[in-house]
Amino acid sequence: PADIQAMSFEAALKALDEIVARLESGRVELEESIALYGRGALLKRHCEAKLRAAEEKIEKIVVAGDGSVSAQAFRSE
């Protein structure tokens, strides 16, 4: 959804945390729980995409044995 796509990572993570708290409270009707779970899944995917995009922009500075400096793309293990 467009509203999720427009969210920053921080806003999406906060919204996801709020959904988790509501679901864990046990005070949500079944139909609303299903809707919240679906929105939570979309928020999770959005956060993961934002993290992947950030990782692609990060470069790691490497100092070689001879003292030369170079940059390499970030790779998460």
Side-chain angles (χ1 to χ4, degrees), residues 6-62:
M7 287 181 167
S8 67
F9 173 81
E10 293 78 9
L13 188 59
K14 181 179 178 190
L16 184 56
D17 284 341
E18 290 169 359
I19 286 173
V20 169
R22 287 186 64 198
L23 290 172
E24 287 179 343
S25 76
R27 298 182 190 167
V28 182
E29 298 287 328
L30 177 61
E31 291 300 319
E32 187 179 0
S33 292
I34 293 168
L36 286 171
Y37 183 85
R39 184 161 176 81
L42 293 172
L43 287 164
K44 178 181 174 280
R45 270 189 285 195
H46 179 68
C47 288
E48 289 171 341
K50 290 279 191 182
L51 286 174
R52 274 193 307 277
E55 284 178 348
E56 291 173 2
K57 293 178 182 178
I58 296 172
E59 290 185 334
K60 180 170 103 176
I61 297 173
V62 179

